[in-house]
Amino acid sequence: MSEKTWSEVDRYLETTLLAEDPVLKEVLKRSEEAGLPGIQVSPLQGQLLHLLARSIKAERVLEIGTLGGYSTICLARALPKDRGHLISLEIDPKHAEVARTSLARAGLGEYTEVWLGAALELLPRLMAERWGPVDLTFIDADKVNGAAYLDWAMRFSHKGSLIVIDNVVREGKVLEGENPDPAVLGTREVLSRLGAEGRVEATALQTVGSKGYDGFALALVKEDP
Ligand code: SAH
Ligand code: DHB
Ligand code: MG
């Protein structure tokens, strides 16, 4: 079985299960035309994020790593229009600009914000502004700081919050304890932190598809931190 099969199955599942989505289609086009890397979650993964947020009736969402706003839109659409709020953190000004345009065009501009800067500088500012607690955090920025992002996600959580972490398998490289790649080291660090964290119950799912071989980690916060 090959990567080609995974992608074909993804296409089959997308056409079978997902409704046509002109807005997300336009988002992808805008991102591509702006030269952004095509590393956003796949349509099926985006729908998973959306359904998770809807299932827990999320009203506040924190995203770390915006890119062109694809996952941001999937998450923001799950929020109640009258009191939902999402903040997404992005270090690259061009990415942030493209995402803001896409969020506005998706009609989500009023209750979403893209904060520009290094997440580790923005998170303390968010905390100082007493924003939160959040019902769902999606961690999907640089992989080196994953463990620090998990610590912050815990601080922003309450009992019942969900934390989702992208890219935890990395084509199996997560197995390689001796691999000097900082992204691999960071991923192993965040996973071991998650396993040792007594205040969550966690799992991880390996995924294949149009984004190759990777995975998500998922944690439910069991008590107020
Ligand atoms: N969540 C997006 C994909 C994010 S890709 C989606 O699925 O649609 C990772 C993003 O994290 C990139 O846009 C990158 O610029 C951003 N990033 C990298 N390092 C960061 C940092 N230190 N702080 C905030 N954002 C960062
Ligand atoms: C990369 C980052 C991601 O968040 C992702 O989902 C896939 C690839 C990357 O930096 O290459
Ligand atoms: Mg990712």
Side-chain angles (χ1 to χ4, degrees), residues 23 27 30 73 77 100-109 111:
V23 170
V27 168
R30 181 176 300 108
I73 289 171
R77 281 171 164 178
R100 285 183 188 127
T101 304
S102 285
L103 284 160
R105 292 294 290 269
L108 301 164
Y111 52 100

Side-chain angles (χ1 to χ4, degrees), residues 39-41 45 138-141 143 166-167 211 214 216:
I39 55 174
Q40 64 284 330
V41 292
Q45 293 172 347
F138 181 44
I139 300 177
D140 192 21
K143 310 309 169 186
D166 195 19
N167 311 114
K211 286 199 72 185
D214 214 325
F216 282 106

Side-chain angles (χ1 to χ4, degrees), residues 15-49:
T15 50
T16 308
L17 300 176
L18 304 183
E20 282 280 315
D21 199 325
V23 170
L24 284 180
K25 214 164 152 186
E26 193 194 306
V27 168
L28 288 179
K29 188 162 163 270
R30 181 176 300 108
S31 292
E32 201 181 324
E33 282 171 2
L36 271 49
I39 55 174
Q40 64 284 330
V41 292
S42 72
L44 292 159
Q45 293 172 347
Q47 178 76 334
L48 174 67
L49 293 173

Side-chain angles (χ1 to χ4, degrees), residues 16-160:
T16 308
L17 300 176
L18 304 183
E20 282 280 315
D21 199 325
V23 170
L24 284 180
K25 214 164 152 186
E26 193 194 306
V27 168
L28 288 179
K29 188 162 163 270
R30 181 176 300 108
S31 292
E32 201 181 324
E33 282 171 2
L36 271 49
I39 55 174
Q40 64 284 330
V41 292
S42 72
L44 292 159
Q45 293 172 347
Q47 178 76 334
L48 174 67
L49 293 173
H50 176 78
L51 293 179
L52 286 172
R54 284 232 331 244
S55 303
I56 61 165
K57 299 185 165 55
E59 295 188 0
R60 260 166 211 268
V61 169
L62 169 64
E63 179 177 67
I64 307 177
T66 319
L67 192 65
Y70 189 96
S71 56
T72 322
I73 289 171
C74 296
L75 289 164
R77 281 171 164 178
L79 302 176
K81 284 197 171 50
D82 52 337
R83 55 190 190 285
H85 198 198
L86 175 151
I87 296 184
S88 186
L89 312 180
E90 174 55 54
I91 200 169
D92 186 306
K94 187 161 112 186
H95 297 184
E97 197 46 51
V98 171
R100 285 183 188 127
T101 304
S102 285
L103 284 160
R105 292 294 290 269
L108 301 164
E110 280 193 16
Y111 52 100
T112 59
E113 294 174 52
V114 179
W115 282 32
L116 177 63
L120 286 180
E121 284 168 24
L122 298 176
L123 287 159
R125 274 171 47 196
L126 265 178
M127 183 65 58
E129 291 199 6
R130 302 196 173 279
W131 188 71
V134 305
D135 307 305
L136 189 153
T137 304
F138 181 44
I139 300 177
D140 192 21
D142 57 306
K143 310 309 169 186
V144 179
N145 292 311
Y149 297 150
L150 175 61
D151 287 347
W152 278 104
M154 288 301 297
R155 292 185 66 187
F156 277 101
S157 292
H158 58 82
K159 182 177 176 183

